[in-house]
Every structure is written in structure tokens, then in C-alpha cells.
Amino acid sequence: MDFRFSEEEEAFRKEVREFIEANMTDTIRSKWLGGLLDTPERQEFVTKMSKRGWLSMGFPKEYGGTGESMPLAQYILNDELHKAQAPIVGKNLGVVVNTLLHNGSEKLKQEFIPRILKNEIQWALAYTEPEAGSDLANMQMKAELDGDEYVLNGQKRFITSAHFADYMWTGVRTDPDAPKHKGISLLIIDVPTPGMTLSPMNTVIGEQTNDVFFDDVRVPKERLVGELNEGWRYITEALTYERFAMTSFAPTIRKFNRLVQWVKDTELNGKPLRDDPVVRRKIAKLAMVVEAGRMLDLRCVCEAVRPDYVPANEAAMNKMWGGIAETVLTDEALDIMGPYGYLWHNGGHAPMDGDMVDDYLWAGHQRVAAAGVDISKNIIARRYLGLPAS
Amino acid sequence: MDMEFSEEQKTLQSTARSFLSTESPLSMAREMESNENGFSRDLWKKMADLGWFGLPHNEDVGGSGMGTVELVVLTKEMGRSLCPSPYIPTVILAGGAIAAAGNDEQKQCWLPAMISGETVIAFALQEENTFYDARSVHATAVPEGDGYVLNGTKMFVEFATAADRVLVVARTAGSPPETDGLSMFLVDPNDVNVRMEPLNTVARDRQFQMKLDGVKVATADVIGEPGKAWESLEGVIERGVVALCGYMVGASERIHEMATAFAKERVQFGHPIGSFQAIQHYLALSITEIIAADTTTFYAAWTLDEGEPSREIVATAKAFAGDTFRKASDIGAQIHGGIGYDEDMDTTLFLRRGKQYQLSMGDSGFWEDIIAEEILDR
Ligand SMILES: Cc1cc2nc3c(=O)[nH]c(=O)nc-3n(C[C@H](O)[C@H](O)[C@H](O)COP(=O)(O)OP(=O)(O)OC[C@H]3O[C@@H](n4cnc5c(N)ncnc54)[C@H](O)[C@@H]3O)c2cc1C
């Protein structure tokens, strides 16, 4: 048992921090939980990392990777990026590359992985539909084989990054007669492709996601990931990576530390907040929730580096705890502020420039997206505890 | 970063689990609730024979010099079976204090006998307030002739009447909240000037209010340099607290397993109740809390073993593991339905201990205030 990162890992962490310090700007910094690569500045930031070889660490040499490397390198990189509100590499690397490596054809691996590792291409993950949210296996978007191409018709909803992505990693229904989990396949689609229409959706904190409509969109059949009608397996695997690689506990720790600093620096009702016994107990309780989250995160990391092990249970626990922690943290923080808690950006009187309001509004997103609190609990109950189906 | 047990730790865990499942099943916990000593001497001796009492102590007094991580491996197993024993007060607290501060003669006099299971030493720190540190101690020790005279009232002294000695913390100087001026004394619980009042606890263990009314203690029974006790006690107490965290995590695991198994079997509305989402979600949240408490506890133990600053993590572990055990024990009984509150059901053993352990060795609020100090005042 050893809770310390190795010297080599610490050295890498330091290097990443120095890089972030040197390259981070206000325009790059993002409110998303995991920063998107949606502007030239943000993409440039990640390209600089790829030039240092940081995106290729640990991936096989034949696809442009470095081969054997520090197992925790990817985790450390994402952790620091999350902490700094920088664009994250978890989606492209953690989700697409990992899933392709395990399941994709040689052709797809050769075509996509090297370019991802160089940050030449961006991705959107397209699973959700109006009638398939938590019940993702209910996805209906049709893909029918016509010669050497699939023809797609239907709608995807909440497709983040679709407005700047080069490719869409898309779940489609290829067998409408099979039981719902057995008729799904995974396709890689060029964005744009004729017949595809995007319609932006603005979220409560002003960040964009998208509805995407498909009207006879044609996709070559070599773009099928893995086997036909086996897509559900790949998607659940990819979702586990997503829960792990795209969501980190680091932002919650950062927000907590920021709250602590604010409490230390602030007087309310003529008294320093730090001397208020109620505030002190609130901070202590939050500290416990945050520390527990950090521990679950580290546990998940320790499991995830085991060869060929997909930490589905650990990731679900992490995801659930993240949603709970973010909720109590932001709610308690605004409570401590009293009426100042509802002042939003640029008003001059807003504590922390109103950022905690964004965080409060966004906490709900963490409770629902990509298996939120309730769905994660279902996963833990069924998979980990072996409780019977309802 | 590595959370795996070593081979040695795995062996300790599996030996402890199989020993305790036969020698100290839950029925033992129940039986000892009405035993006058609160623990079985026979079991205590067998535990000693396994080398458990020497585990945290050095080889020169017959111990094996292992770390806090190993202690937690062991107390977790004790918690799983709710093993009733003075292990924490005797072996970790009193034994730890003698090992840390005692002179050679005292160590040789008390530790080998404690390690072999012959001698039980209780630990008396807390008084009639809710602190679990130097702030609690008002009791005085005044030099007189060849020794000291002790006056004061100790609370929550576990297994005090079954003990051969009680290690009492009293002030030779200063006043609360000062840590300077604390000293340690070995007091005979049968001394004519000691009065033990039993406390009725919800866990039905043996605890006492201990009144010291002019108790004379010889110099030979003063442990460590007078006035300097806190220097060694602080670390000893942290170790004891983390060991209790391990116990609570183990107990939480056990009640959670019982509730999960019950939920798979009990049928209502034509389905196992474990198929109902309300039940599933209670159990899913609870197991996540338990795993987080487990990792936090081991992290605290590891931090102590590494000699790194530990006050905040120990406080976090105790408050979090305590809250976790309370919740697990509460929901564990609820999932059993009405029978969960039946006096004869094992669920009630956990239900009663869940609240008590959360409040003992410093309640959650006490430790939360320490967390706040560490975070806000430095
Ligand atoms: C900002 C944002 C970005 C997103 N980005 C993407 C993306 O890039 N790609 C993508 O594919 N999707 C994306 N999503 C979609 C997201 O994954 C879905 O919102 C999520 O799966 C929930 O689906 P839903 O919104 O249809 O809610 P519903 O499934 O309708 O759920 C409604 C409520 O019911 C609860 N619920 C549903 N089923 C159960 C159950 N069995 N047990 C208990 N409670 C249940 C849910 O937890 C939720 O609280 C994004 C969403 C948001 C808000």
C-alpha cells in the first residue's frame, strides 16, 4: 500500500503544471467540467501538448504511440488539465482511442489513431436521442445497408462538440427486430456529411450543445467499429472510459479550495466568516465529502491501470459521488454567501465573480449526463452488488 | 500509488477472518453484552496467542513492530464480527502510551504481560465534556511524598473494572486547553479512593465514570516525563482513532452484506425487494460511502506510518467513517423491515453500535471542528 505518486510521476505532473502555467489564457479557460476543444486557441493548446508526446503516451507504437509508458501518465495529464479548466484530452484519447484499440478494425485504427494522437481531428460522441436518454439502448436512429454504405435517418440530441468536430462517434440501430441491446452498431461519421443538419441548443450556463438531424446520410461500411450489432458492448465500454477519463474529481477540489480561500478572506455581517461556527462546520463537512471523492478517484485510477480491466463499478461510484459532491458543495457555498449567492457574472458584487452560480447550475448536469447519480446507483446495485433486475 | 495489500497483510486478513468467524461470531458480541467484564478472557487469551497484541509494539518487549496499516487490517476484521474486546484501549492506547513514554523498567513490567494477554490496562483520557484531547483534561495530579495525589472525574472509561490498571491522564501543571502539563499515571482500579460508576451504553459495553478522590500514585507508576505526556499521547491517540475507523469500516461492510443478502431473498409484491429501486439506491450509496471510508481510513493509517502531518486526515477519517457506519447500520436495519428492529436480530447489534461508535473517541462534530481548524486557521 502506497498513497504516494512515484518521483517519475511527480516530475511529470510538475512538467504538466509548468506547461499549463506557461500556456493558459483566459480565452482558453473553460466553464465545462471538461474543457472542449472548440476554438483555434484551445486546439492549439492541445496540439502543443501532442508535440511534447503527451497524447501518445502508452499507446502502441504502430499507431503513433510511445509504447510502454508510465501507466498513470494519462490520468495525471487529465487531472491537471481539469484542475486548470483547460481543454481535456480525455474524450479523444480516453474514449475513442481506447475503444478503437480494443475493438476496431486494423483499417480504422490506422486511419484514426495516429491523427488523434497528433490532435489533428476532433470528435463528438453521438448516442443520445429524444427517446433514448438514460435508456440509451432504446436508440432508434436507423442505419440500413445499401450496397457498400449505411443510410442513416433519425435524430441525435445533446451532441456536444458536433459544431466543430470532424467526426461523430455514433450509435445506430442496425437490426430493428432484435432485442434492443442486440441491434445497435457503432459508426464513425464525417462531419459534415450531406443530409446532416445541426441545430444548436444553449444550456443554462450558456455553453452550446446540439441537436443533429440525419436525412439519408450515407456512411461507408468500413466505418463500422467492431462487429455489426455488437455496438452496445462497445458503447458501454466507451461510457465507462468516459465516466473515468472525461470526468475527474479535480474540478470539485479546485472549487472547494477556492471557496475556502473566499471564506478566509471575507467578512459578512461585520465578522470574519471563518470565525462563524456554522460556517466552520459546513466547511468541515464539505472537506469530508471532497476527501472521500478524492479517495474514490484514486481507487478508480489504481484499478484502471490493471491490464485489460475496465473499471465499470469504480467509475460508476466515482460518477455518482462527483454528482453528489458537486451539488452539496455549490449549494452550501451559495448558502454561506446569503443573498450575494445569487449575484451572477460581471456585477461587481458577486463573490468569486459569480462562478459558483455557474457551478451550481451545472451540478445538475453532472447528476444526469452520461449515467448520472441515479443511473450510476443502478449500475452499482446491479453489477457490483448483484441485486436482481427490477 | 498502490492500494493492494502486501502478502503479509493478506495473510493477516485471512487468518483474522477465519479465526474470528469461529471464535468470535456475532453471538459472542451479544453474549458479552451481559457479561460483567464485557469480553471473554478465553477469547482474549486466544487473540494474544495469535500475536495480535504485539503487532504494534517493538520486538524488545515481545512485539512484532508492524504499522498502523496492519492494525487497520486487523481491526477491520474485528469490526466485521463486532468482536468485543479491550483491544483498542489496552493494546493501542494504554500499551502505546507505555511503549512511547515509559522507561525500560515500566515497559518490561507491563508490555510483555499485556502482549501475552495476562494484563488488561484501561485508558482514561476524557472527562465530563465532549473533547477527546488535552482540552478535556481537568483532573489534577499534585506531588506528595514519593509520588502524586490524583483528583478528578474521568468519563467513558472502557473495561475499567476488568482492568488490572487504568492509565489516567491528569494535569501536573497548566489548564485546558493547554497540552503542556499533562502527565500519565497507572492507577489500580481497586484503589480505595477510586469509585467506578457504570454507564449504561447503547452498545451495552462496559464503560464507567471513574472518580479519583485523592488517589495516591507512586513515582514508579508515573509514565513518562511529567508535564510532557501530550508529546507521545497525540500520536498514540491518532493511532487508536484510526484503528476504531477500521473497526467501523469492517462493521459497515458486514451489515451491508447482511442487508444485501436479505434484499435478494425477501419477496414482497411477488419480487425480491432487492429488485426495487429504492432499496437498490440505498445499498448503492451506502457501499460507495463504505468504500470511500475504507480508503480514507487506510490513507490515514498510511499517513501515520509515514510520519507525515496527520491531524486533518485522522479527523476526516474518524468523522467520515463514523457517519458511514451510523448510516450503514441504520439503513441495514431498515432494509430488514420490522424484523430488523427485533431485539434478537443481529441487525440491532449494528444499529446500537453504529450510533455509539460515531460518538465515541471524539464525536463527528469534535473532529469536524479540527478539520475546520486545519483548513481555515492555517
Ligand atoms: C450539457 C449536456 C451535454 C451532453 N452531451 C452529450 C453528448 O455529447 N453526447 C451524448 O450522446 N449525450 C450527451 N448528453 C446527454 C446525456 O447523456 C443525457 O442527458 C442523459 O443520458 C440523460 O438522458 P435524458 O436527458 O434523456 O434524461 P432521461 O433519461 O429522460 O431522465 C430523466 C430523469 O429520470 C432519471 N431516470 C431515468 N431513468 C431512470 C432509472 N432507470 N432509474 C432512476 N432514474 C432514472 C434520470 O436520472 C433523470 O433524472 C448531454 C447532456 C447534457 C445536458
Side-chain angles (χ1 to χ4, degrees), chain A residues 32 91 124-136 156-161 203 209 242 362 365 367-375 378, chain B residues 277 281:
Chain A
W32 276 88
K91 172 155 53 178
L125 308 177
Y127 311 127
T128 305
E129 297 176 9
E131 298 309 319
S134 304
D135 184 12
L136 199 53
K156 291 283 167 187
R157 168 159 282 178
F158 298 125
I159 307 309
T160 305
S161 306
T203 63
T209 180
E242 176 169 348
W362 210 225
H365 161 67
R367 291 201 307 275
V368 297
V373 171
D374 296 326
I375 301 302
N378 294 349
Chain B
Q277 202 173 45
H281 283 195

